[in-house]
């Protein structure tokens, strides 16, 4: 005699043991960085047919009848929902706010040469300035060009030179903005100054004087106390003067009256004044263009000022940081910021098809689809948060509730076996 209830009870024990293991693993990893909880999904085993579909002699239908043969684990699914972000204050701790994974180099000596994917961003810089995971794999991305755009070709290891320096750069452009008061009277003046840099990074002062001559008209002149600039005719900067006229809406109408005009766009529109650096300051006949096009004339105070210039002194590396786009930014003591690399963010069509590799890593499979690489904030609706880590998405209250249910289900399955044993024992006793 064979009782299906015995095998049904055994299938329940096995399945609920797997569920207990899954829930226990979730609880054990509740504090693991970026861990994603799992669940055991069950399916009914194919039942044994008792009555098939058919018709009686009277022509009425007969419903199919089957007795189930137990339960099995259909799949172990992973929940990739976003975990909360916890501040750590460590700049190399990175978290993804959105979909995707950080991309790490293949593991040395592994059978597969596939790149590793991870949500755990507890990274550090090693002694060579390479960004690495907690177990030493290189984090990968793309080099960033001088225009700030990533060269999205072959992936490279994200790194920087710990001994990097920012070279001095001569000033070739300066911008003057702010307001010249429309309430000024003829003879009213304003003086502004700025520091500019020569080829060796030495600082020099440049002074611009404004004087109101009539309604909507101002004259200007440039002074150079250090004597490192000259006008187009070889004269001193004092010869670099001209006139600014304004429209009724307060914007610049024209800048005229000088031979050394500044036309950076080459469109014939004079934006300001251009002065040549002397050879003692800058080799190669470079010029300093001072743009006056952004000055306005409105009623109120005179607030004209230099808004910026593109030169700098030399500087030492003072620190590194990551932007929300995942760009590695180097900061120097001279105020210069350089972007070196941009982190690659990987994504797949079916994250549940990824194969778990341990140590918070995944690799792609045929079920997951091919790895797609993109940039945070541009190709993907994802941002990189520096100084934070993603916590696990395990809800301990739910896990303990599931643990109790799994325990009770396991207990009930064991009771099935006990009952089946008693039935078999009673059957054996029939011969007495």
């Amino acid at each position: 005699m064979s009782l299906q209830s015995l095998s049904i009870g055994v299938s329940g024990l096995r399945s609920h043991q797997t569920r207990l293991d899954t829930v226990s693993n979730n609880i054990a990893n509740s504090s693991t960085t970026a861990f994603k909880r799992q669940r055991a999904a069950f399916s009914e085993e194919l039942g044994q047919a008792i009555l098939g579909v058919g018709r009686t002699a009277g022509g009425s239908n007969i419903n199919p009848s089957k007795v189930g043969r137990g339960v099995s684990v259909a799949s172990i699914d992973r929940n990739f929902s976003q975990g909360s972000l916890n501040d750590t204050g460590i700049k190399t701790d990175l978290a993804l706010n959105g979909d995707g994974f950080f991309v790490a180099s293949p593991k040395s000596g592994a059978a597969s040469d596939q790149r590793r994917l991870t949500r755990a961003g507890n990274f550090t810089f090693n002694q060579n300035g390479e960004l690495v995971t907690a177990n030493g794999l290189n984090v990968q991305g793309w080099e960033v060009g001088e225009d700030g755009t990533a060269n999205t070709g072959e992936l490279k290891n994200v790194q920087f030179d710990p001994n990097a320096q920012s070279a001095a750069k001569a000033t070739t452009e300066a911008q003057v903005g702010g307001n010249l008061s429309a309430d000024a009277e003829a003879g009213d003046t304003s003086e502004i100054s700025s520091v500019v840099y020569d080829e060796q990074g030495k600082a020099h002062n440049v002074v611009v004087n404004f004087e109101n001559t009539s309604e909507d008209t101002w004259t200007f002149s440039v002074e150079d106390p250090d004597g490192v600039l000259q006008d187009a005719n070889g004269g001193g900067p004092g010869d670099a003067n001209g006139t600014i006229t304004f429209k009724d809406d307060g914007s610049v109408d024209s800048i005229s009256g000088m031979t050394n005009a500044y036309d950076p766009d080459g469109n014939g529109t004079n934006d300001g004044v251009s002065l040549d650096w002397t050879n003692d300051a800058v080799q190669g006949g470079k010029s300093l263009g001072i743009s006056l096009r952004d000055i306005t004339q409105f009623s109120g105070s005179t607030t004209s000022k230099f808004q910026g210039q593109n030169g700098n002194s030399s500087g030492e590396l003072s620190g590194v940081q990551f932007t929300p786009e995942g760009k590695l930014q180097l900061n120097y003591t001279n105020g210069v910021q350089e972007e070196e690399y941009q982190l690659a963010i990987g994504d797949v069509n079916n994250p549940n098809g990824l194969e778990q590799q341990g140590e918070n890593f995944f690799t792609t499979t045929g079920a997951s689809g091919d790895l797609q690489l993109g940039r945070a904030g541009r190709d993907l609706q994802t941002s990189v948060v520096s100084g934070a880590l993603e916590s696990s998405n395990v809800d301990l209250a739910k896990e303990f509730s599931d643990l109790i249910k799994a325990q009770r289900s396991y207990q009930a399955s064991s009771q099935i076996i006990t009952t089946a044993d008693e039935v078999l024992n009673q059957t054996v006793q029939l011969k007495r």
Side-chain angles (χ1 to χ4, degrees):
M1 178 180 179
S2 173
L3 287 178
Q4 290 295 331
S5 53
L6 278 173
S7 60
I8 292 173
V10 171
S11 72
L13 290 179
R14 290 174 177 171
S15 299
H16 291 293
Q17 179 61 59
T18 301
R19 187 182 182 189
L20 280 169
D21 294 341
T22 302
V23 175
S24 299
N25 185 60
N26 290 341
I27 295 173
N29 283 282
S30 60
S31 297
T32 300
T33 301
F35 176 80
K36 304 301 180 184
R37 68 178 299 271
Q38 295 175 292
R39 69 172 184 184
F42 294 165
S43 65
E44 181 186 8
E45 288 290 323
L46 181 63
Q48 178 182 7
I50 303 299
L51 294 174
V53 179
R55 292 178 179 273
T56 63
S60 60
N61 292 322
I62 298 176
N63 294 330
S65 299
K66 291 187 177 182
V67 176
R69 291 187 175 180
V71 64
S72 64
V73 178
S75 64
I76 305 294
D77 302 319
R78 192 176 292 271
N79 182 348
F80 280 93
S81 63
Q82 177 79 46
S84 60
L85 304 185
N86 297 324
D87 291 335
T88 65
I90 302 174
K91 292 182 179 179
T92 54
D93 282 346
L94 304 177
L96 291 177
N97 187 12
D99 297 333
F101 301 84
F102 296 112
V103 180
S105 60
K107 192 170 184 179
S108 177
S112 172
D113 62 352
Q114 289 181 299
R115 292 185 174 89
R116 266 39 179 180
L117 306 178
T118 183
R119 295 276 301 189
N122 48 327
F123 303 143
T124 56
F125 285 110
N126 63 18
Q127 69 275 15
N128 298 320
E130 298 173 322
L131 186 67
V132 295
T133 65
N135 42 20
L137 298 187
N138 288 95
V139 182
Q140 298 193 312
W142 299 287
E143 286 184 310
V144 174
E146 292 184 359
D147 61 352
T149 303
N151 302 317
T152 54
E154 179 184 0
L155 286 180
K156 296 185 178 181
N157 297 335
V158 175
Q159 59 185 329
F160 75 99
D161 181 3
N163 301 314
Q165 291 184 326
S166 174
K169 180 182 177 183
T171 303
T172 58
E173 296 178 355
Q175 299 80 36
V176 176
N179 186 59
L180 294 174
S181 177
D183 303 325
E185 298 179 354
D188 288 348
T189 62
S190 174
E191 179 182 286
I192 62 173
S193 64
S194 176
V195 171
V196 294
Y197 298 92
D198 64 19
E199 205 162 35
Q200 294 183 341
K202 294 179 181 178
H204 303 277
N205 289 316
V206 171
V207 179
V208 179
N209 294 294
F210 296 98
E211 181 178 355
N212 183 272
T213 57
S214 63
E215 184 178 2
D216 297 334
T217 302
W218 294 72
T219 61
F220 68 88
S221 63
V222 179
E223 296 179 4
D224 169 26
D226 296 336
V228 293
L229 296 168
Q230 58 189 8
D231 70 5
N233 297 320
D239 296 330
N241 51 60
T243 302
I244 305 176
T245 59
F246 292 91
K247 301 177 183 178
D248 292 339
D249 64 2
S251 63
V252 172
D253 184 18
S254 66
I255 302 173
S256 59
M258 85 290 295
T259 58
N260 44 344
Y262 178 49
D263 181 14
D265 298 325
N267 56 10
T269 300
N270 184 18
D271 283 353
V273 61
S274 178
L275 299 170
D276 294 333
W277 285 98
T278 63
N279 287 332
D280 292 337
V282 178
Q283 297 293 320
K286 291 184 179 179
S287 299
L288 166 60
I290 302 176
S291 174
L292 306 172
R293 182 61 62 176
D294 292 335
I295 295 178
T296 60
Q297 181 185 253
F298 296 117
S299 178
S301 301
T302 292
T303 59
S304 56
K305 62 180 179 179
F306 276 89
Q307 293 181 323
Q309 53 85 32
N310 65 347
N312 58 262
S313 61
S314 61
E316 303 291 332
L317 183 66
S318 61
V320 298
Q321 64 183 24
F322 285 90
T323 68
E325 295 79 28
K327 291 182 178 179
L328 172 61
Q329 190 175 80
L330 306 187
N331 300 322
Y332 296 92
T333 54
N334 58 1
V336 171
Q337 294 181 326
E338 294 180 353
E339 294 175 342
E340 295 286 312
Y341 283 85
Q342 182 167 15
L343 295 172
I345 307 299
D347 200 9
V348 293
N349 292 331
N350 175 28
N352 264 304
L354 294 171
E355 183 175 355
Q356 184 180 0
Q357 298 293 336
E359 299 178 320
N360 290 329
F361 289 124
F362 300 91
T363 55
T364 58
T365 66
S368 68
D370 294 334
L371 177 62
Q372 304 163 20
L373 299 176
R375 291 162 290 180
R378 179 164 180 172
D379 306 317
L380 298 169
Q381 296 300 315
T382 301
S383 61
V384 177
V385 182
S386 178
L389 290 175
E390 183 183 3
S391 63
S392 73
N393 62 358
V394 172
D395 183 344
L396 281 177
K398 184 178 187 310
E399 298 302 327
F400 280 119
S401 174
D402 290 345
L403 189 66
I404 294 173
K405 288 189 280 187
Q407 179 186 11
R408 293 304 183 194
S409 297
Y410 186 93
Q411 184 179 13
S413 296
S414 66
Q415 190 64 44
I416 293 174
I417 297 175
T418 300
T419 301
D421 176 62
E422 292 176 356
V423 170
L424 284 174
N425 184 58
Q426 291 174 0
T427 303
V428 171
Q429 296 298 324
L430 288 175
K431 71 182 185 68
R432 299 180 182 177

